[in-house]
Amino acid sequence: MTIKLIALDLDDTLLDSKLAVSPRACEAIRKAVARGVTVTIATGRMYASALPYARQLGLDVPLITYNGALIKSSLSGETLLDRPIAGEIAQQILELCRERGWYIQSYVNDKLYVAEVNHYAKRYAELARVPVTALGDSFYTVKERPSKMLIMDSAEAIAQIFTMVKAAFGDKLSIAISKPTFMEITDPLANKGHALAFLADKLGIKQDEIMALGDSGNDLDMIKYAGWGVAMGNANAAVKAAARLETLSNDADGVAEAIEKYVLQNFNADVKK
C-alpha cells in the first residue's frame, strides 16, 4: 500500500483526552511529511480552532473544517471550498430549537455565536479554545449563512433530537453525532467524505492512496471514502464496521501507531527493495 494523503480527525483521534498531540504522533507526522506524504486535519471544529494544531505540526496544507463545509489553507488562508447551510433552512433550524428549548450554537464567518453564554457554551469554548459571542434574541434572526450549527444536550436527548431533525429535514441537511452529546448540522454536501474527495482531486491523489483516521459519526463518510479507512480503538461501532483497518485508542497513540505501521514501515520496506 502506498499512502500519499493522510486525513486526521482531531477530537478523540489525534488529540488525547487532555486535548494534546503526543510527541510520538508529532514525530510520526513529521517523518511522513518528510517522505512526501500530505498530512491534513479533517475536523468538525472551526478553522480558528484547528489552525493552532496545524501550526504545531508544521502543516502547510488545506485544512478540512466544519465537517467539510470549509476547506482553507493553513498558511495562506486561501479558501478552496465553502459550503454554508442555506439561509432558509438555517432559520428553520433556529426556530425549531427555540420552540423546543434546545441549545444550539452557530458558526458564521469562523465566529462562534450563541443566544446566551450558558454551561454548554462555556464547555464548548473551553474545548475548542475560541471566544464565544452572545447575541440575545437576535441570535435567532441572523441572516448570514452558517458554516455549521451544533446542538448540545445529554446523550439520550441528542439521540432523540437526531431522529426528529432527520425526519423533519431529510436530505436537506447533513446531520451527524460526533461526541455523544454533540449533534452537528451542515449543508447536505458538506461532509468529510466529500471534502476529502475534493482535496484529493485537487492534489491529484487516487482514492486508494488515501488513509483517513477517525472515531465518530462525523468521520464515517471519510472512513468509507478513503482507500484505507482506519478506526481508532475508541471508535464507535459504526466506524469500526466501516473501516478497513483498526488502530489503538487516542490515549494509546493510535494515530502514531497507524502512521508508523502503514506508512513509514511500508516506505522503509520500499526503500530496501
Coordinates of all heavy atoms in Angstrom, one line a residue, residues 157-210:
A157 N -30.9 12.6 25.0 CA -31.7 13.6 24.3 C -31.2 13.8 22.9 O -32.0 14.0 22.0 CB -31.6 14.9 25.1
I158 N -29.8 13.8 22.7 CA -29.3 14.0 21.4 C -29.7 12.9 20.4 O -30.0 13.2 19.2 CB -27.7 14.1 21.4 CG1 -27.3 15.4 22.0 CG2 -27.1 13.8 20.1 CD1 -27.6 16.6 21.1
A159 N -29.8 11.7 20.9 CA -30.3 10.6 20.1 C -31.7 10.8 19.6 O -32.1 10.6 18.4 CB -30.2 9.3 20.8
Q160 N -32.5 11.4 20.5 CA -33.9 11.7 20.1 C -34.0 12.9 19.2 O -34.8 12.9 18.2 CB -34.7 12.0 21.4 CG -34.8 10.7 22.3 CD -35.5 11.1 23.7 OE1 -35.7 12.3 24.0 NE2 -35.8 10.1 24.4
I161 N -33.2 13.9 19.5 CA -33.2 15.1 18.6 C -32.7 14.7 17.2 O -33.3 15.2 16.2 CB -32.3 16.2 19.2 CG1 -32.9 16.7 20.5 CG2 -32.1 17.3 18.2 CD1 -32.0 17.6 21.3
F162 N -31.7 13.9 17.1 CA -31.2 13.4 15.8 C -32.4 12.8 15.0 O -32.6 13.2 13.8 CB -30.1 12.4 16.0 CG -29.6 11.8 14.7 CD1 -28.6 12.4 14.0 CD2 -30.2 10.7 14.1 CE1 -28.1 11.9 12.8 CE2 -29.7 10.1 13.0 CZ -28.6 10.8 12.3
T163 N -33.1 11.9 15.6 CA -34.3 11.3 14.9 C -35.3 12.3 14.4 O -35.8 12.2 13.3 CB -34.9 10.2 15.8 OG1 -33.9 9.3 16.2 CG2 -36.1 9.5 15.1
M164 N -35.6 13.3 15.3 CA -36.6 14.3 15.0 C -36.2 15.2 13.9 O -36.9 15.5 12.9 CB -37.0 15.1 16.2 CG -37.6 14.3 17.3 SD -37.8 15.2 18.9 CE -39.0 16.5 18.3
V165 N -34.9 15.7 13.9 CA -34.4 16.6 12.9 C -34.3 15.9 11.6 O -34.6 16.4 10.5 CB -33.1 17.2 13.4 CG1 -32.5 18.1 12.3 CG2 -33.3 18.1 14.6
K166 N -33.8 14.7 11.6 CA -33.6 13.9 10.4 C -35.0 13.7 9.7 O -35.1 13.8 8.5 CB -33.0 12.5 10.7 CG -32.5 11.7 9.5 CD -31.2 12.4 9.0 CE -30.7 11.6 7.8 NZ -29.5 12.3 7.2
A167 N -36.0 13.4 10.5 CA -37.3 13.2 10.0 C -37.9 14.5 9.4 O -38.6 14.5 8.3 CB -38.3 12.6 11.0
A168 N -37.6 15.6 10.0 CA -38.2 16.9 9.6 C -37.4 17.4 8.3 O -38.1 18.0 7.5 CB -38.1 17.9 10.7
F169 N -36.1 17.2 8.2 CA -35.4 17.8 7.2 C -34.8 16.9 6.1 O -34.4 17.3 5.0 CB -34.2 18.6 7.8 CG -34.7 19.9 8.5 CD1 -35.0 19.8 9.9 CD2 -34.9 21.1 7.9 CE1 -35.4 20.9 10.6 CE2 -35.3 22.2 8.5 CZ -35.6 22.1 9.9
G170 N -34.8 15.6 6.4 CA -34.4 14.6 5.4 C -33.0 14.9 4.8 O -32.1 15.1 5.5
D171 N -33.0 14.9 3.5 CA -31.8 15.2 2.8 C -31.4 16.6 2.5 O -30.5 17.0 1.8 CB -31.8 14.4 1.4 CG -32.9 14.9 0.5 OD1 -33.7 15.8 0.9 OD2 -33.1 14.4 -0.6
K172 N -32.1 17.5 3.2 CA -31.8 19.0 3.1 C -30.6 19.4 4.0 O -30.2 20.5 3.9 CB -33.1 19.8 3.5 CG -34.3 19.6 2.6 CD -35.4 20.5 3.1 CE -36.6 20.3 2.2 NZ -37.8 21.0 2.7
L173 N -30.2 18.4 4.8 CA -29.1 18.7 5.7 C -28.2 17.5 5.9 O -28.7 16.4 5.7 CB -29.6 19.1 7.1 CG -30.3 20.4 7.3 CD1 -31.0 20.5 8.7 CD2 -29.4 21.6 7.1
S174 N -27.0 17.7 6.2 CA -26.1 16.6 6.7 C -26.1 16.7 8.2 O -25.7 17.7 8.8 CB -24.7 16.8 6.1 OG -23.9 15.7 6.6
I175 N -26.4 15.6 8.9 CA -26.5 15.6 10.3 C -25.7 14.4 10.9 O -25.8 13.3 10.4 CB -28.0 15.4 10.8 CG1 -28.9 16.5 10.1 CG2 -28.1 15.5 12.3 CD1 -30.4 16.2 10.3
A176 N -24.9 14.7 11.9 CA -24.0 13.7 12.4 C -23.8 13.9 13.9 O -23.8 15.0 14.4 CB -22.6 13.7 11.7
I177 N -23.8 12.8 14.7 CA -23.5 12.9 16.1 C -22.0 12.6 16.2 O -21.5 11.6 15.8 CB -24.3 11.8 16.9 CG1 -25.8 12.1 16.8 CG2 -23.8 11.8 18.3 CD1 -26.7 11.1 17.5
S178 N -21.3 13.6 16.7 CA -19.8 13.4 16.9 C -19.5 12.9 18.3 O -19.5 11.7 18.5 CB -19.1 14.8 16.6 OG -19.7 15.8 17.3
K179 N -19.4 13.8 19.2 CA -19.4 13.3 20.6 C -20.8 12.9 20.9 O -21.8 13.4 20.3 CB -18.9 14.4 21.5 CG -17.4 14.7 21.4 CD -17.0 15.8 22.4 CE -15.5 16.1 22.2 NZ -14.6 14.9 22.7
P180 N -21.1 12.0 21.9 CA -22.4 11.6 22.2 C -23.4 12.7 22.5 O -24.6 12.6 22.3 CB -22.3 10.6 23.4 CG -20.9 10.1 23.2 CD -20.1 11.3 22.7
T181 N -22.9 13.8 23.0 CA -23.7 15.0 23.4 C -23.7 16.1 22.4 O -24.2 17.2 22.6 CB -23.2 15.5 24.8 OG1 -21.8 15.8 24.7 CG2 -23.4 14.5 25.9
F182 N -23.1 15.9 21.2 CA -23.0 16.9 20.1 C -23.7 16.4 18.9 O -23.4 15.3 18.4 CB -21.5 17.1 19.7 CG -20.7 17.9 20.7 CD1 -21.1 18.2 22.0 CD2 -19.4 18.3 20.4 CE1 -20.4 18.8 22.9 CE2 -18.6 19.0 21.3 CZ -19.1 19.3 22.6
M183 N -24.6 17.2 18.3 CA -25.2 16.9 17.0 C -24.8 18.0 16.1 O -25.2 19.2 16.3 CB -26.7 16.7 17.1 CG -27.3 16.1 15.8 SD -29.1 16.0 15.9 CE -29.5 17.6 15.2
E184 N -24.1 17.7 15.0 CA -23.6 18.7 14.1 C -24.4 18.7 12.8 O -24.8 17.7 12.2 CB -22.1 18.3 13.8 CG -21.3 18.2 15.1 CD -19.8 18.2 14.9 OE1 -19.4 18.1 13.7 OE2 -19.1 18.3 15.9
I185 N -24.7 19.9 12.4 CA -25.6 20.2 11.2 C -24.8 21.0 10.2 O -24.3 22.1 10.5 CB -26.8 20.9 11.7 CG1 -27.6 20.1 12.7 CG2 -27.7 21.2 10.4 CD1 -28.7 20.9 13.4
T186 N -24.8 20.5 9.0 CA -24.1 21.2 7.9 C -25.0 21.1 6.6 O -26.0 20.4 6.6 CB -22.7 20.6 7.6 OG1 -22.8 19.2 7.4 CG2 -21.8 20.9 8.7
D187 N -24.5 21.8 5.6 CA -25.1 21.6 4.2 C -25.1 20.1 3.8 O -24.2 19.4 4.2 CB -24.3 22.5 3.2 CG -24.8 22.3 1.8 OD1 -25.8 23.1 1.5 OD2 -24.3 21.5 1.1
P188 N -26.1 19.7 3.0 CA -26.1 18.2 2.7 C -24.9 17.7 1.9 O -24.6 16.5 2.0 CB -27.4 18.1 1.8 CG -27.7 19.5 1.4 CD -27.3 20.4 2.5
L189 N -24.2 18.6 1.2 CA -23.0 18.2 0.5 C -21.7 18.4 1.4 O -20.6 18.1 0.9 CB -22.9 19.0 -0.8 CG -23.9 18.7 -1.8 CD1 -23.7 19.5 -3.1 CD2 -23.9 17.2 -2.2
A190 N -21.9 18.9 2.6 CA -20.7 19.2 3.4 C -20.5 18.0 4.4 O -21.2 18.0 5.5 CB -20.9 20.5 4.2
N191 N -19.7 17.1 4.1 CA -19.2 16.1 5.0 C -17.8 15.8 4.7 O -17.2 16.2 3.7 CB -20.1 14.8 4.9 CG -20.0 14.1 3.6 OD1 -18.9 13.7 3.2 ND2 -21.2 13.8 3.0
K192 N -17.1 15.0 5.6 CA -15.7 14.8 5.5 C -15.3 13.9 4.3 O -14.2 14.1 3.7 CB -15.1 14.2 6.7 CG -15.2 15.1 8.0 CD -14.5 14.5 9.2 CE -14.6 15.3 10.4 NZ -13.9 14.7 11.6
G193 N -16.3 13.1 3.9 CA -16.0 12.2 2.7 C -16.0 13.1 1.4 O -15.0 12.9 0.6
H194 N -17.0 13.9 1.2 CA -17.0 14.8 0.0 C -15.7 15.7 0.0 O -15.1 16.0 -1.0 CB -18.2 15.6 0.0 CG -19.5 14.9 -0.4 ND1 -19.5 14.0 -1.4 CD2 -20.7 14.9 0.2 CE1 -20.8 13.5 -1.5 NE2 -21.5 14.0 -0.5
A195 N -15.4 16.3 1.2 CA -14.3 17.2 1.3 C -13.0 16.5 1.0 O -12.1 17.1 0.3 CB -14.3 17.8 2.7
L196 N -12.8 15.3 1.5 CA -11.6 14.5 1.2 C -11.5 14.2 -0.3 O -10.4 14.3 -0.8 CB -11.6 13.3 2.1 CG -10.3 12.5 2.1 CD1 -9.1 13.3 2.6 CD2 -10.4 11.3 3.1
A197 N -12.6 13.8 -0.9 CA -12.6 13.6 -2.3 C -12.2 14.8 -3.1 O -11.4 14.8 -4.1 CB -13.9 13.1 -2.8
F198 N -12.7 16.0 -2.7 CA -12.4 17.3 -3.4 C -10.9 17.6 -3.2 O -10.3 17.9 -4.2 CB -13.3 18.4 -2.7 CG -13.0 19.8 -3.2 CD1 -13.6 20.3 -4.3 CD2 -12.0 20.5 -2.5 CE1 -13.3 21.6 -4.7 CE2 -11.7 21.8 -3.0 CZ -12.4 22.3 -4.1
L199 N -10.4 17.4 -2.0 CA -9.0 17.7 -1.8 C -8.1 16.8 -2.5 O -7.1 17.2 -3.2 CB -8.7 17.7 -0.3 CG -7.3 18.1 0.1 CD1 -6.9 19.5 -0.4 CD2 -7.1 18.0 1.6
A200 N -8.4 15.5 -2.5 CA -7.6 14.5 -3.2 C -7.5 14.8 -4.7 O -6.5 14.7 -5.4 CB -8.1 13.1 -3.0
D201 N -8.7 15.2 -5.3 CA -8.7 15.6 -6.7 C -7.8 16.8 -7.0 O -7.1 16.8 -8.0 CB -10.2 15.9 -7.1 CG -10.3 16.2 -8.6 OD1 -10.0 15.3 -9.4 OD2 -10.7 17.3 -8.9
K202 N -7.9 17.8 -6.1 CA -7.0 19.0 -6.3 C -5.5 18.6 -6.3 O -4.7 19.2 -7.0 CB -7.3 19.9 -5.1 CG -8.6 20.7 -5.3 CD -8.4 21.9 -6.2 CE -9.6 22.8 -6.2 NZ -9.5 23.9 -7.2
L203 N -5.2 17.6 -5.4 CA -3.8 17.2 -5.3 C -3.4 16.1 -6.2 O -2.2 15.7 -6.3 CB -3.6 16.7 -3.8 CG -3.8 17.8 -2.7 CD1 -3.7 17.1 -1.3 CD2 -2.8 18.9 -2.8
G204 N -4.3 15.6 -7.0 CA -4.0 14.5 -8.0 C -3.7 13.2 -7.3 O -2.9 12.4 -7.8
I205 N -4.4 12.9 -6.2 CA -4.2 11.7 -5.4 C -5.3 10.8 -5.6 O -6.5 11.2 -5.5 CB -3.9 12.1 -3.9 CG1 -2.6 12.8 -3.8 CG2 -3.9 10.8 -3.0 CD1 -2.4 13.4 -2.4
K206 N -5.0 9.5 -5.8 CA -6.1 8.5 -6.0 C -6.7 8.1 -4.7 O -6.1 8.2 -3.6 CB -5.5 7.3 -6.7 CG -4.9 7.6 -8.1 CD -4.3 6.3 -8.7 CE -3.6 6.6 -10.0 NZ -2.9 5.4 -10.5
Q207 N -7.9 7.5 -4.8 CA -8.7 7.1 -3.6 C -7.9 6.0 -2.8 O -7.9 6.1 -1.6 CB -10.0 6.6 -4.0 CG -11.0 6.4 -2.9 CD -12.4 6.2 -3.4 OE1 -12.7 6.2 -4.6 NE2 -13.4 5.9 -2.5
D208 N -7.3 5.1 -3.5 CA -6.6 4.0 -2.8 C -5.2 4.5 -2.3 O -4.4 3.7 -1.7 CB -6.4 2.8 -3.7 CG -5.6 3.0 -4.9 OD1 -5.1 4.2 -5.1 OD2 -5.5 2.1 -5.7
E209 N -4.9 5.8 -2.4 CA -3.6 6.3 -1.9 C -3.9 7.2 -0.6 O -3.0 7.9 -0.2 CB -2.9 7.1 -2.9 CG -2.5 6.3 -4.1 CD -1.9 7.1 -5.3 OE1 -2.4 8.3 -5.4 OE2 -1.0 6.6 -6.0
I210 N -5.2 7.1 -0.1 CA -5.6 7.9 1.0 C -5.8 7.1 2.2 O -6.4 6.0 2.2 CB -6.9 8.7 0.7 CG1 -6.7 9.5 -0.6 CG2 -7.3 9.5 1.8 CD1 -8.0 10.1 -1.1

